Amino acid sequence: MSESVGPRRGEGFWRTLSSLRLTLVLFLLLAAASVIGTLVPQNLPYEEYLRMYGAVAAKLLDLMGMTDLFHSWWFLGLLGALVVHITACSLKRLPATWKALKAPQRPLSDALFRSLPVRRVLEGDDLSHLVDSLRAELLQGGWKARVEKLGNEVHFLAQRGRWSRLGAYVAHTGVLLVLLGAAIGFAFGFKGFMQIQEGEGLDRVQERGGKSWRKLGFEVRCEKFHLSHYPDGTPKEYRSDLVFLKDGKVVLEGPLRVNHPMSFEGYVFYQASYGANARITLEARQDSSVPPRQFKMEPGDTVALDPQGRVIVRFLRYESDLQGRGPAVLLSHLKPEGPPVTGWVFQRDSRAVLEGWHLRLLDAQETRWTGLQVKQDPGVWIVWVGCFLIMAGCAMAFLGAHRRLWVRVQARKNKVVCWVAGSSSRDLPGLDRALERLCGAWQQKAGLRFSNKEGKNE
């Protein structure tokens, strides 16, 4: 019993692995995951998720890998399953396709003629120049025909678009190369972010997730940052005038615009964002009988509002005009227990109160910065080759067709009979029109005419 069950289970697993149903399931799961990855902002600091979704949802998103979805173990597992599935589909169907591709084309028999979907029968009176005329018209129509003589019959065996049968496998190879290139980029590539103050330079990049820094080996300076607006105040264009320095010497310089990246030393720089930093003065007042306390802070600074050091806040971000309400600063209240709580403190009409302390933004000395996304992807060329193969494979599969044509010429007592038939992997109406044009040319140039009989020997 155990010997018979093993192979059946193996066959069932192989059928499932190479089934169309699994294709649909994998594509639906990947599409759903991609939609989630688009809706949920990726790779933000944990404090941002706390502010947007609250403690419970932020913790749940982090546990499920939704904050870095496209690098989560389960998304990579889906891609791995897709690779295995595509490989299984190709291995299952390729031998039969290759066998059909390499199978020799047999001469046209009566039974084969009747089994073919498109067929014609023509008659003529003179065989002397008929064979040469048929061959010439076939060549002119793009058919490369092989000629065989069997007794008193002449057979033309022609094919066209034979390699279109491999279009699906070319596209499958392209998909695998795209996934391979993405895996190489994931394993050996780099993606990070630079925030450079206007007029300053930076020689390191903060890696994705903000967990570590990478030395570039050269310096990137932002000489000038330009920002223009539409009349309604919406940003119209922003660009950075960058200078790349190596060993203190200017090697490259130019403007960096949105969707116009710059490349240097294997890294690609994209204009991603902009903003403003500020050195602020924060006022904290607890009781009108006690003079308020003032703190000079820069982004990332942490101060205690009370002398005992129990109410601690951190300066996260500055906005020069938040929601049309003027300058504001984002603070994070760091608690001894539990997650931090963030909130905005405005310069005008501030009502922020924290642990009995009334907060107000007194002053801000603003400086602008440009945000650059930096990428290094050694697998990008493999991805491009894969994309080309996907397009080529789709063109082969959907625009091409493997057509086969049989022509049998038989000389009889006082006439010549010509059987013409064809088959196609797709687009039978197109093959029918091609045969109609071919027979029309033979009527005019070879003196043939259509017959009502269909391939019966007399």
PDB file of all heavy atoms in Angstrom, residues 63-88:
ATOM      1  N   LEU A  63       4.915  44.022  14.091  1.00  0.00           N
ATOM      2  CA  LEU A  63       5.058  42.567  14.242  1.00  0.00           C
ATOM      3  C   LEU A  63       4.813  41.835  12.924  1.00  0.00           C
ATOM      4  O   LEU A  63       5.470  40.829  12.619  1.00  0.00           O
ATOM      5  CB  LEU A  63       4.090  42.059  15.316  1.00  0.00           C
ATOM      6  CG  LEU A  63       4.457  42.373  16.766  1.00  0.00           C
ATOM      7  CD1 LEU A  63       3.356  41.908  17.701  1.00  0.00           C
ATOM      8  CD2 LEU A  63       5.787  41.713  17.136  1.00  0.00           C
ATOM      9  N   MET A  64       3.868  42.337  12.117  1.00  0.00           N
ATOM     10  CA  MET A  64       3.530  41.676  10.851  1.00  0.00           C
ATOM     11  C   MET A  64       4.429  42.114   9.701  1.00  0.00           C
ATOM     12  O   MET A  64       4.264  41.659   8.569  1.00  0.00           O
ATOM     13  CB  MET A  64       2.067  41.969  10.491  1.00  0.00           C
ATOM     14  CG  MET A  64       1.071  41.393  11.489  1.00  0.00           C
ATOM     15  SD  MET A  64      -0.624  41.841  11.078  1.00  0.00           S
ATOM     16  CE  MET A  64      -0.842  40.961   9.531  1.00  0.00           C
ATOM     17  N   GLY A  65       5.380  42.982   9.995  1.00  0.00           N
ATOM     18  CA  GLY A  65       6.304  43.418   8.946  1.00  0.00           C
ATOM     19  C   GLY A  65       5.690  44.369   7.951  1.00  0.00           C
ATOM     20  O   GLY A  65       6.227  44.561   6.864  1.00  0.00           O
ATOM     21  N   MET A  66       4.557  44.979   8.303  1.00  0.00           N
ATOM     22  CA  MET A  66       3.875  45.884   7.375  1.00  0.00           C
ATOM     23  C   MET A  66       4.599  47.209   7.201  1.00  0.00           C
ATOM     24  O   MET A  66       4.359  47.916   6.227  1.00  0.00           O
ATOM     25  CB  MET A  66       2.450  46.177   7.876  1.00  0.00           C
ATOM     26  CG  MET A  66       1.557  44.959   7.922  1.00  0.00           C
ATOM     27  SD  MET A  66       1.113  44.389   6.286  1.00  0.00           S
ATOM     28  CE  MET A  66      -0.085  43.111   6.682  1.00  0.00           C
ATOM     29  N   THR A  67       5.484  47.571   8.151  1.00  0.00           N
ATOM     30  CA  THR A  67       6.199  48.842   8.038  1.00  0.00           C
ATOM     31  C   THR A  67       7.394  48.732   7.097  1.00  0.00           C
ATOM     32  O   THR A  67       7.960  49.741   6.701  1.00  0.00           O
ATOM     33  CB  THR A  67       6.677  49.303   9.425  1.00  0.00           C
ATOM     34  OG1 THR A  67       7.492  48.268  10.005  1.00  0.00           O
ATOM     35  CG2 THR A  67       5.493  49.571  10.335  1.00  0.00           C
ATOM     36  N   ASP A  68       7.789  47.527   6.756  1.00  0.00           N
ATOM     37  CA  ASP A  68       8.821  47.289   5.734  1.00  0.00           C
ATOM     38  C   ASP A  68       8.376  46.054   4.953  1.00  0.00           C
ATOM     39  O   ASP A  68       9.084  45.053   4.880  1.00  0.00           O
ATOM     40  CB  ASP A  68      10.188  47.074   6.383  1.00  0.00           C
ATOM     41  CG  ASP A  68      11.310  47.086   5.357  1.00  0.00           C
ATOM     42  OD1 ASP A  68      11.044  47.463   4.200  1.00  0.00           O
ATOM     43  OD2 ASP A  68      12.443  46.716   5.715  1.00  0.00           O
ATOM     44  N   LEU A  69       7.188  46.172   4.371  1.00  0.00           N
ATOM     45  CA  LEU A  69       6.478  45.010   3.819  1.00  0.00           C
ATOM     46  C   LEU A  69       7.266  44.298   2.728  1.00  0.00           C
ATOM     47  O   LEU A  69       7.334  43.069   2.706  1.00  0.00           O
ATOM     48  CB  LEU A  69       5.120  45.478   3.288  1.00  0.00           C
ATOM     49  CG  LEU A  69       4.145  44.408   2.825  1.00  0.00           C
ATOM     50  CD1 LEU A  69       2.721  44.856   3.100  1.00  0.00           C
ATOM     51  CD2 LEU A  69       4.290  44.120   1.339  1.00  0.00           C
ATOM     52  N   PHE A  70       7.854  45.070   1.816  1.00  0.00           N
ATOM     53  CA  PHE A  70       8.493  44.446   0.657  1.00  0.00           C
ATOM     54  C   PHE A  70       9.809  43.758   1.013  1.00  0.00           C
ATOM     55  O   PHE A  70      10.440  43.159   0.151  1.00  0.00           O
ATOM     56  CB  PHE A  70       8.706  45.495  -0.436  1.00  0.00           C
ATOM     57  CG  PHE A  70       7.411  46.089  -0.909  1.00  0.00           C
ATOM     58  CD1 PHE A  70       7.076  47.391  -0.587  1.00  0.00           C
ATOM     59  CD2 PHE A  70       6.511  45.341  -1.645  1.00  0.00           C
ATOM     60  CE1 PHE A  70       5.870  47.933  -1.004  1.00  0.00           C
ATOM     61  CE2 PHE A  70       5.305  45.877  -2.061  1.00  0.00           C
ATOM     62  CZ  PHE A  70       4.983  47.173  -1.733  1.00  0.00           C
ATOM     63  N   HIS A  71      10.244  43.860   2.276  1.00  0.00           N
ATOM     64  CA  HIS A  71      11.410  43.108   2.736  1.00  0.00           C
ATOM     65  C   HIS A  71      11.036  42.157   3.865  1.00  0.00           C
ATOM     66  O   HIS A  71      11.927  41.614   4.514  1.00  0.00           O
ATOM     67  CB  HIS A  71      12.501  44.068   3.221  1.00  0.00           C
ATOM     68  CG  HIS A  71      13.029  44.942   2.136  1.00  0.00           C
ATOM     69  ND1 HIS A  71      12.467  46.158   1.818  1.00  0.00           N
ATOM     70  CD2 HIS A  71      14.064  44.768   1.275  1.00  0.00           C
ATOM     71  CE1 HIS A  71      13.135  46.702   0.818  1.00  0.00           C
ATOM     72  NE2 HIS A  71      14.099  45.889   0.462  1.00  0.00           N
ATOM     73  N   SER A  72       9.726  41.986   4.100  1.00  0.00           N
ATOM     74  CA  SER A  72       9.301  41.080   5.163  1.00  0.00           C
ATOM     75  C   SER A  72       9.494  39.629   4.718  1.00  0.00           C
ATOM     76  O   SER A  72       9.503  39.321   3.526  1.00  0.00           O
ATOM     77  CB  SER A  72       7.830  41.350   5.512  1.00  0.00           C
ATOM     78  OG  SER A  72       7.008  41.087   4.381  1.00  0.00           O
ATOM     79  N   TRP A  73       9.638  38.736   5.705  1.00  0.00           N
ATOM     80  CA  TRP A  73       9.912  37.327   5.398  1.00  0.00           C
ATOM     81  C   TRP A  73       8.757  36.709   4.622  1.00  0.00           C
ATOM     82  O   TRP A  73       8.967  35.890   3.718  1.00  0.00           O
ATOM     83  CB  TRP A  73      10.171  36.563   6.693  1.00  0.00           C
ATOM     84  CG  TRP A  73       8.993  36.528   7.624  1.00  0.00           C
ATOM     85  CD1 TRP A  73       8.729  37.404   8.634  1.00  0.00           C
ATOM     86  CD2 TRP A  73       7.916  35.589   7.600  1.00  0.00           C
ATOM     87  NE1 TRP A  73       7.557  37.085   9.251  1.00  0.00           N
ATOM     88  CE2 TRP A  73       7.029  35.964   8.655  1.00  0.00           C
ATOM     89  CE3 TRP A  73       7.607  34.475   6.839  1.00  0.00           C
ATOM     90  CZ2 TRP A  73       5.877  35.261   8.927  1.00  0.00           C
ATOM     91  CZ3 TRP A  73       6.454  33.770   7.117  1.00  0.00           C
ATOM     92  CH2 TRP A  73       5.605  34.162   8.149  1.00  0.00           C
ATOM     93  N   TRP A  74       7.512  37.088   4.936  1.00  0.00           N
ATOM     94  CA  TRP A  74       6.379  36.438   4.268  1.00  0.00           C
ATOM     95  C   TRP A  74       6.209  36.937   2.836  1.00  0.00           C
ATOM     96  O   TRP A  74       5.791  36.172   1.960  1.00  0.00           O
ATOM     97  CB  TRP A  74       5.090  36.617   5.071  1.00  0.00           C
ATOM     98  CG  TRP A  74       4.672  38.033   5.331  1.00  0.00           C
ATOM     99  CD1 TRP A  74       4.999  38.814   6.387  1.00  0.00           C
ATOM    100  CD2 TRP A  74       3.854  38.842   4.479  1.00  0.00           C
ATOM    101  NE1 TRP A  74       4.435  40.050   6.266  1.00  0.00           N
ATOM    102  CE2 TRP A  74       3.716  40.098   5.113  1.00  0.00           C
ATOM    103  CE3 TRP A  74       3.208  38.622   3.268  1.00  0.00           C
ATOM    104  CZ2 TRP A  74       2.974  41.124   4.552  1.00  0.00           C
ATOM    105  CZ3 TRP A  74       2.470  39.652   2.705  1.00  0.00           C
ATOM    106  CH2 TRP A  74       2.357  40.877   3.353  1.00  0.00           C
ATOM    107  N   PHE A  75       6.548  38.213   2.571  1.00  0.00           N
ATOM    108  CA  PHE A  75       6.466  38.687   1.184  1.00  0.00           C
ATOM    109  C   PHE A  75       7.559  38.035   0.338  1.00  0.00           C
ATOM    110  O   PHE A  75       7.310  37.618  -0.807  1.00  0.00           O
ATOM    111  CB  PHE A  75       6.615  40.208   1.152  1.00  0.00           C
ATOM    112  CG  PHE A  75       6.372  40.808  -0.209  1.00  0.00           C
ATOM    113  CD1 PHE A  75       5.085  41.038  -0.667  1.00  0.00           C
ATOM    114  CD2 PHE A  75       7.430  41.113  -1.051  1.00  0.00           C
ATOM    115  CE1 PHE A  75       4.858  41.569  -1.922  1.00  0.00           C
ATOM    116  CE2 PHE A  75       7.215  41.649  -2.316  1.00  0.00           C
ATOM    117  CZ  PHE A  75       5.923  41.871  -2.744  1.00  0.00           C
ATOM    118  N   LEU A  76       8.767  37.926   0.912  1.00  0.00           N
ATOM    119  CA  LEU A  76       9.845  37.236   0.186  1.00  0.00           C
ATOM    120  C   LEU A  76       9.494  35.760  -0.013  1.00  0.00           C
ATOM    121  O   LEU A  76       9.853  35.151  -1.021  1.00  0.00           O
ATOM    122  CB  LEU A  76      11.162  37.375   0.956  1.00  0.00           C
ATOM    123  CG  LEU A  76      11.683  38.819   1.087  1.00  0.00           C
ATOM    124  CD1 LEU A  76      12.948  38.852   1.932  1.00  0.00           C
ATOM    125  CD2 LEU A  76      11.981  39.399  -0.293  1.00  0.00           C
ATOM    126  N   GLY A  77       8.766  35.189   0.964  1.00  0.00           N
ATOM    127  CA  GLY A  77       8.323  33.799   0.799  1.00  0.00           C
ATOM    128  C   GLY A  77       7.348  33.636  -0.359  1.00  0.00           C
ATOM    129  O   GLY A  77       7.408  32.651  -1.105  1.00  0.00           O
ATOM    130  N   LEU A  78       6.445  34.624  -0.523  1.00  0.00           N
ATOM    131  CA  LEU A  78       5.522  34.591  -1.664  1.00  0.00           C
ATOM    132  C   LEU A  78       6.281  34.658  -2.985  1.00  0.00           C
ATOM    133  O   LEU A  78       5.970  33.943  -3.942  1.00  0.00           O
ATOM    134  CB  LEU A  78       4.536  35.757  -1.571  1.00  0.00           C
ATOM    135  CG  LEU A  78       3.382  35.607  -0.575  1.00  0.00           C
ATOM    136  CD1 LEU A  78       2.554  36.894  -0.548  1.00  0.00           C
ATOM    137  CD2 LEU A  78       2.500  34.432  -0.951  1.00  0.00           C
ATOM    138  N   LEU A  79       7.299  35.526  -3.043  1.00  0.00           N
ATOM    139  CA  LEU A  79       8.104  35.622  -4.267  1.00  0.00           C
ATOM    140  C   LEU A  79       8.849  34.312  -4.520  1.00  0.00           C
ATOM    141  O   LEU A  79       8.954  33.861  -5.668  1.00  0.00           O
ATOM    142  CB  LEU A  79       9.089  36.785  -4.155  1.00  0.00           C
ATOM    143  CG  LEU A  79       8.480  38.183  -4.116  1.00  0.00           C
ATOM    144  CD1 LEU A  79       9.569  39.235  -3.984  1.00  0.00           C
ATOM    145  CD2 LEU A  79       7.651  38.446  -5.374  1.00  0.00           C
ATOM    146  N   GLY A  80       9.361  33.702  -3.455  1.00  0.00           N
ATOM    147  CA  GLY A  80      10.039  32.413  -3.616  1.00  0.00           C
ATOM    148  C   GLY A  80       9.082  31.344  -4.124  1.00  0.00           C
ATOM    149  O   GLY A  80       9.437  30.523  -4.984  1.00  0.00           O
ATOM    150  N   ALA A  81       7.857  31.344  -3.597  1.00  0.00           N
ATOM    151  CA  ALA A  81       6.854  30.382  -4.077  1.00  0.00           C
ATOM    152  C   ALA A  81       6.534  30.616  -5.544  1.00  0.00           C
ATOM    153  O   ALA A  81       6.327  29.668  -6.319  1.00  0.00           O
ATOM    154  CB  ALA A  81       5.580  30.497  -3.232  1.00  0.00           C
ATOM    155  N   LEU A  82       6.498  31.891  -5.960  1.00  0.00           N
ATOM    156  CA  LEU A  82       6.238  32.201  -7.366  1.00  0.00           C
ATOM    157  C   LEU A  82       7.368  31.682  -8.256  1.00  0.00           C
ATOM    158  O   LEU A  82       7.115  31.159  -9.351  1.00  0.00           O
ATOM    159  CB  LEU A  82       6.082  33.718  -7.535  1.00  0.00           C
ATOM    160  CG  LEU A  82       5.760  34.206  -8.946  1.00  0.00           C
ATOM    161  CD1 LEU A  82       4.408  33.666  -9.398  1.00  0.00           C
ATOM    162  CD2 LEU A  82       5.768  35.725  -9.015  1.00  0.00           C
ATOM    163  N   VAL A  83       8.603  31.813  -7.788  1.00  0.00           N
ATOM    164  CA  VAL A  83       9.744  31.292  -8.559  1.00  0.00           C
ATOM    165  C   VAL A  83       9.628  29.782  -8.739  1.00  0.00           C
ATOM    166  O   VAL A  83       9.796  29.246  -9.844  1.00  0.00           O
ATOM    167  CB  VAL A  83      11.067  31.659  -7.845  1.00  0.00           C
ATOM    168  CG1 VAL A  83      12.234  30.907  -8.477  1.00  0.00           C
ATOM    169  CG2 VAL A  83      11.309  33.154  -7.918  1.00  0.00           C
ATOM    170  N   VAL A  84       9.331  29.083  -7.638  1.00  0.00           N
ATOM    171  CA  VAL A  84       9.200  27.619  -7.716  1.00  0.00           C
ATOM    172  C   VAL A  84       8.050  27.235  -8.646  1.00  0.00           C
ATOM    173  O   VAL A  84       8.157  26.306  -9.454  1.00  0.00           O
ATOM    174  CB  VAL A  84       8.979  27.047  -6.297  1.00  0.00           C
ATOM    175  CG1 VAL A  84       8.684  25.554  -6.363  1.00  0.00           C
ATOM    176  CG2 VAL A  84      10.206  27.303  -5.436  1.00  0.00           C
ATOM    177  N   HIS A  85       6.941  27.975  -8.552  1.00  0.00           N
ATOM    178  CA  HIS A  85       5.770  27.671  -9.377  1.00  0.00           C
ATOM    179  C   HIS A  85       6.065  27.889 -10.865  1.00  0.00           C
ATOM    180  O   HIS A  85       5.726  27.036 -11.699  1.00  0.00           O
ATOM    181  CB  HIS A  85       4.618  28.567  -8.938  1.00  0.00           C
ATOM    182  CG  HIS A  85       3.427  28.500  -9.828  1.00  0.00           C
ATOM    183  ND1 HIS A  85       2.697  27.345 -10.014  1.00  0.00           N
ATOM    184  CD2 HIS A  85       2.840  29.443 -10.621  1.00  0.00           C
ATOM    185  CE1 HIS A  85       1.719  27.587 -10.861  1.00  0.00           C
ATOM    186  NE2 HIS A  85       1.789  28.837 -11.247  1.00  0.00           N
ATOM    187  N   ILE A  86       6.697  28.994 -11.207  1.00  0.00           N
ATOM    188  CA  ILE A  86       7.016  29.258 -12.620  1.00  0.00           C
ATOM    189  C   ILE A  86       7.974  28.204 -13.157  1.00  0.00           C
ATOM    190  O   ILE A  86       7.821  27.708 -14.287  1.00  0.00           O
ATOM    191  CB  ILE A  86       7.616  30.669 -12.761  1.00  0.00           C
ATOM    192  CG1 ILE A  86       6.551  31.722 -12.481  1.00  0.00           C
ATOM    193  CG2 ILE A  86       8.189  30.877 -14.155  1.00  0.00           C
ATOM    194  CD1 ILE A  86       7.070  33.133 -12.468  1.00  0.00           C
ATOM    195  N   THR A  87       8.958  27.832 -12.340  1.00  0.00           N
ATOM    196  CA  THR A  87       9.912  26.800 -12.765  1.00  0.00           C
ATOM    197  C   THR A  87       9.188  25.472 -12.994  1.00  0.00           C
ATOM    198  O   THR A  87       9.447  24.762 -13.981  1.00  0.00           O
ATOM    199  CB  THR A  87      11.008  26.637 -11.703  1.00  0.00           C
ATOM    200  OG1 THR A  87      11.620  27.909 -11.460  1.00  0.00           O
ATOM    201  CG2 THR A  87      12.062  25.659 -12.165  1.00  0.00           C
ATOM    202  N   ALA A  88       8.268  25.119 -12.087  1.00  0.00           N
ATOM    203  CA  ALA A  88       7.529  23.861 -12.230  1.00  0.00           C
ATOM    204  C   ALA A  88       6.662  23.878 -13.495  1.00  0.00           C
ATOM    205  O   ALA A  88       6.599  22.878 -14.227  1.00  0.00           O
ATOM    206  CB  ALA A  88       6.658  23.638 -10.995  1.00  0.00           C
TER     207      ALA A  88
END
